[in-house]
Amino acid sequence: MEVLGTSAAFASFAVTNSRRNPTVFFPEALLCNHLAVRKSGCRASCSSSSNEKNTANCFSAQFLNRSNGYKKFLKSLWRLDERFLLHRGFFVLKIESVPGLRKFAFLLQKALQCAERFNNPVPVFSIRLIVGVMLVMTLGAAVTKTPSWALSEENLLFLEAWRTLDRAYIDKTFNGQSWFRYRENALRNEPMNTREETYAAIRKMVATLDDPFTRFLEPQKFKSLRSGTRNTLTGVGLSIGYPTGKDKSTSGLVVVSAAPGGPANRAGVLSGDLILAIDDTSTESMGIYDAAERLQGPEGSTVELVVRHGSETRHLSLIREKVSLNPVKSRICRSPGLGVDGPLIGYIKLTSFNQNASGAVKEAIATLRGNNVNAFILDLRDNSGGLFPEGVEIAKIWLDKGVIVYICDSRGVRDIYDTDGSNAVAASEPLVVLVNKGTASASEILAGALKDNKRAVLFGEPTYGKGKIQSVFELSDGSGLAVTVARYETPAHNDIDKVGIIPDRPLPVPFPKDDEGFCSCLQDPASACYLNRVELFSR
């Protein structure tokens, strides 16, 4: 698409492809052949194409300088041009569709040369009137000949999706393509006669970004995604992702976490296991959101999985059920040798970052404090993330001040989330955070904030490494877009995407993931997983 600003002085055009402000008019284009025009600012020409440069040239500089009358004439033309633009706006025209302007420029040039020969300048008012009438008539004829169409409801939905990506997507090169040109080509060439055809056009547009985390969601999928950030989800309780790090060359999808007590968890599926097939369909080239849709379904229905753990491959038949997304479990752990009334350790297991997460953590802290707890363990193992704002709010609970996360785009730091301590609930007690390769996304934001601010000691293994942030946008028909809007850096400016957060210390192997088993590791010195209180909280 070309966005052209009309200039009344002999069909001079200023052209720009500015994405943010496509309609830019350059006064320099008025005397395009005889005034210096910066090539980077615009492309100005007095003829319609490079092979017609000598056909309809602009005024010669000598001709313009001979008489003040001609200067007044030129000034009046520019005023007319300004008024025309003010009242008529801009036209989206192909230059081939305005041949009348070329003819007009040539005839007007000859008329002025004739006026010069007889030394009888044409009155300014007459010139203004004639030029105005001829220009409006010529452009009117050109516009009527230019192909045009009324935008249908389906076109408008497509444009709504396009604008959403235009405003929000992190990569402003849009994977190295002209985003405006893609819009125009799609409106001309993609069939959008039905809602399904429009959805197909939107999916095709999203696919050109080559971003697995940016995707289009039909109304039912969008509704399902929203329910997943609330309280329940019908499925098998798996969070899945793409292989990263040393497993990157592995085909299939990796299990990020299995919800405690869910069907997959009861069947022994663990973080790091590979899902090779879902209902006899290979996952080798399957996207994670396609896989998530296949794993969900009506309560009581069955889904068949092929899962590999190490060298062992298993075929599992799991029954879908409503998986509770209550994000917090807590309990009190006693340390040996401190007596019944001695200081206690509060264990908090945070399984997801849904809408209830920050409130549930505050409630757990208050309950544990009421039972003489003076140190905390926050378990983020197998927490695959969720709502970004909840991750920030939970960080504020533990910090008295400091940066929580930097939000970055292609130009660098765009925003800073920090805290002044006004929302702190437990900013002074000793704190340990447990992480593993199932710790991802919002969990990594929280863990990184607590580590870099030296608020907590991290135990475990490197985290998953998802350093991109997605926002969800609802479209007017109930469908939606999940869009990668930014990447984040920890307070120490570490980009953890595909790298993860490195803990301060490893956990003993084996180390239980359930709360009861964890407390037993603090109480029994003879246990292989034993950690005493001093070793646990010291730096």
Side-chain angles (χ1 to χ4, degrees), residues 469-513:
I469 298 173
Q470 284 75 41
S471 289
V472 179
F473 301 88
E474 184 173 10
L475 301 180
S476 56
D477 74 328
S479 61
L481 286 166
V483 182
T484 299
V485 296
R487 62 180 177 86
Y488 68 82
E489 293 179 355
T490 69
H493 284 290
N494 294 319
D495 183 353
I496 60 95
D497 194 46
K498 301 179 181 178
V499 177
I501 294 174
I502 309 302
D504 298 304
R505 299 180 186 178
L507 281 172
V509 180
F511 202 87
K513 291 185 177 181

Side-chain angles (χ1 to χ4, degrees), residues 372-394:
N372 200 29
V373 163
N374 68 346
F376 293 96
I377 295 171
L378 179 62
D379 193 348
L380 298 178
R381 290 175 298 172
D382 296 331
N383 184 329
S384 59
L387 299 176
F388 168 81
E390 288 297 299
V392 172
E393 288 303 311
I394 293 173

